[in-house]
Amino acid sequence: MKKTKKKLNGAQIFFECLKRENVEVIFGYPGGSTLKIYEELYDVDFLTHILPRHEQGATHMAEGYAKATGKVGVVLVTSGPGATNTVTGIANAYLDSSPIVVFTGQVPTHLIGNDAFQEADIVGITRPITKHNFQVRDIHDLAMTIRKAFYLARTGRPGPVLVDLPKDMIHSEIEFEFPEKIELRGYKPTYTGHHNQIKKAASIIQKAKRPVLYVGGGVIMSNGSDELRTLAKEYNLPVTMTLQGLGAFPADDKLSLGMLGMHGTYYANQAVMNSDVLISLGARFDDRVTGKVDTFATDAYKIHVDIDPASIDKNVLVDLPIVGDVRIILTELLNELKEKRDTKDWLDQINKWKQTYPLQYEKGDGILRTACVIERISEKTKGHAVVISDVGQHQMWCAQYYKFKNPRSHITSGGLGTMGFSLPAAIGASFGVKDRPIVSICGDGGFQMNIQELITAVAHKIPLKIFIINNSYLGMVRQWQELFHQGKYSFTDLDSDNPNFVKLAQALGIPAYSTDNPDEVDDLLDSAFAINDKPVLIEFKVEKEENVFPMVPSGASISDMIINKPKSKALKVA
Amino acid sequence: MKHTFSLLVENTFGAFDRVATLFSAKGFNLHSISIGETEIRDISRMTIVISGEAKVVEQAEKQLNRLVDTVKVVDLTKSQRVERELALISVNYKRRSLEEIKNICDVFRGKVVDINNKTITLEVTGPPAKMEAIVNVLSPFGIIEMARSGTVALKRGEQQKAPQKEYLHSN
Ligand SMILES: Cc1ncc(C[n+]2csc(CCOP(=O)(O)OP(=O)(O)O)c2C)c(N)n1
Ligand SMILES: [Mg+2]
C-alpha cells in the first residue's frame, strides 16, 4: 500500500485506524475527555454510531455483535464513570472469549495520578479481565496501539482489549502513517496443530468403541462447524455441546445429545461418563460441565483440542492435547481418518438413555411453562433465529428446548453469568445480522438490569423480539433456595414489585402483549414475528415455582442427576 | 516445591504489574520477584520464585506465557543454574558479641557496610540456602531490620538470549 503522509490530530487518526480495520459500527457514549473524537465523528460517514443508554449496555452490544458476526465489536466511552461502567461487560467478554475493543477517554497525561476530575485507573482496574490493555502515552504510538488492539482481540483465543486514550493524545497532531506491520514479540498464537498428535488422535478415534465429541464455543469461534458436522456424520460420532457450543451441531440431528453438564441432558451426561474416547473441541472442562472433577469420564481417553495452551490440563488432565485452531485441526484430522467406524452398538445404547429420560415437561393442564414457550419459539423460527438469552432458569430452558441449527445463533453470558446481558447483546447482534430474526429472551429479574436499552432499541427501530419469561421470581436462585436452603425464599420474590411490563413497553412506543395461556402463545408469536420495523415485547406469565431439571447438584458427579422434582423439598448440598 | 522462573518481558508500562496481578488473581504462591534491565534496551528480566504442586506450577508457567508482554518464560528449576540473592541485615550487638558477628560475616564472605554504637549492618550475597543459613545464625543476636533483593538467576553455560525481533504480518 502506498504510504500516506498527512498531518492529523489524534481523533482523526483514531477514525483512520477504525476505517482500516473495517469497523462498521461502534457503541459509544460521549463525555468530557472524548469530546474531540465526537467532534470528528460528526463528519465521519463510514460507520454507524450507536448511543446506548448506559455504558454497560455498550459493552454487551459490542459482544453481541461480535458473537453474531465473528467481527470485532467496538466501544467508545469517556473517562472515569464512563470507563468503570464498562467493567462488567469487559469481564463478561473475557470469560466468554469475545473479541471486543474498548476505547476509554482519560484525563490528560500531565494530570494522570492527580485524582483529577473523572479520573479512574481503568488500565489497572481492567488488567485481570482483559486479554491485554494499553494506555497511549505518546501520540506517535496511537495508530500502532489501535492496530495491536484489534489484532490481539480477534486472533488466537479472542478476548477484550482496552485502549486508554488520554485527552492530549486525542488533541495533538502528527504526520500520520498507518502501520502495516505489527510487532508483538511475546504473542504468537499457534494455529496448526502438531501433526503427529493429530495422527495419533485419528488412530485413537478409529479404534474407539464409545466415542463422544464434546464441543464448546471454540468450534463456533473458529468457524469449524462444517468440519465438525462432516466429522460427526462420516464417522458416526455422537455430539454433545456446552452452553457456548450450542448451534455448532444441529440439535435435531440424531447424533446430537444436546447440552451436557449441570442442566444438560441425562443422555449427554451418561454418554460422556461411559465414553472410552472423549474428544473435546474448543471447550475448557468448565466446572459447570464436569461436576465433580475426579469422577468425570474417568475411563475415557481424553483428546483436547484448544487454541489456548493454558486450557490444557487446567481442570482435567488429558491424554492427548492438541494446541491450535479447531477448524484447522479438524480439517487435518479429517484427512488422517481413513475407515468409517461402525458405532451402532454405542448409538443404540445412547438411544436407550434418550428413551429412559428424554427432555420433557408437563403439558395439557392449561398452565403456561417456559419450556413450552421456548419450544413454540423454536418451531416458529424453525431453529434459524439468533436467540440471545439472559441468565437464570429461562436460559437453561432455552438451551434445552430451542433446537439450534446454525452456529452464531445462541448468544448468552456463560462464563460470567451476567444478568442484564440479553437485551443489549441482542441489540448489538441486530447490527450484524439482518437476514434472521433476533430474539431476546429475558427473565423478569434480568430484564430490569439493563432495561434502559429498550430506548436504544426504539431509537434505532430495531425489529427485536423481546420475550420476557415472567415467573415473578429470581427463579434460578429461588430454585436453589427450594432445593438446598430449606425453602427460604429470601429476597427472590419479585411478584408484588414487578412493573407492568406491557404498560412500560407501551410508554416507550413498543407494541406489547402479555399472556399466561398456552393456547395464545402461537398467535402472539405470529403477531410478534410479523412486526419488522420496530421492537415488540411479549410477557409470558409462566408457572412461578417450576424448577429446571435434570440437574446435577453443585459438587456432585454428572452421573448423579436429579431428573424430577424430589419428594422432600430440601436436599442436602453435596 | 520451589520453582525459579526467568522471564524476559517487554519493558513497557504495566508489564511488571501484569505479572504481579496474575499471581494474586490466580492465587499462586509467590516467594520472591525481582526485575531489572538486560543487555537489550527494551527488554527486562524478571526472576520469580514460586511454590506449589506440579500442576499449579505448570499452570503458572502457561499463564505467564500467555501474557502479551512476556517474550520468553523459562523454568530454571529444570536446568543447571546460578541463583543469587543480596541481603542487607542489621543486627544488634554488644561489645561481647561484636567479634562473633564479624566472624560469622567472614565465614559467609559478607561485608560490614555500616556500624554505630548499637547495630551493625552486613551485606551478604549468595544462593538461597546460604541466605537462610546466615539469617538463622544471626537471629539469636536480634535482627533489627533486613532487606532482601529476592533471587536473581541465570541458566549456566549457554545463556538465554532475547529472541531477534520478528515481525508478525496480520491477516
Ligand atoms: C448481575 C447478576 N446478579 C446476580 C446474579 C445471580 N443470579 C443468577 S440467576 C438469578 C435469577 C435471575 O432471575 P430472572 O432474571 O427472573 O430469571 P429466572 O431465573 O427467573 O428465569 C440471579 C439473581 C447474576 N447471575 N448476575
Ligand atoms: Mg424470573
Side-chain angles (χ1 to χ4, degrees), chain A residues 393-394 442-446 469-476 494 498:
Chain A
Q393 290 186 311
H394 67 281
C442 300
D444 48 322
I469 306 295
N470 185 359
N471 56 6
S472 305
Y473 277 107
L474 297 174
M476 187 55 96
L494 301 176
N498 265 340

Side-chain angles (χ1 to χ4, degrees), chain A residues 127 133 147 185 308 312, chain B residues 10 17-18 62 66 170:
Chain A
R127 202 159 273 146
N133 62 16
R147 188 99 169 81
R185 283 179 287 198
D308 183 2
I312 309 272
Chain B
E10 295 280 357
D17 199 22
R18 208 162 262 124
K62 286 176 176 171
R66 204 156 88 126
S170 71

Side-chain angles (χ1 to χ4, degrees), chain B residues 28-45:
Chain B
F28 298 135
N29 202 350
L30 182 63
H31 286 272
S32 74
I33 187 165
S34 78
I35 184 163
E37 292 175 1
T38 61
E39 67 285 3
I40 302 150
R41 193 174 45 87
D42 49 2
I43 287 212
S44 308
R45 185 184 299 280

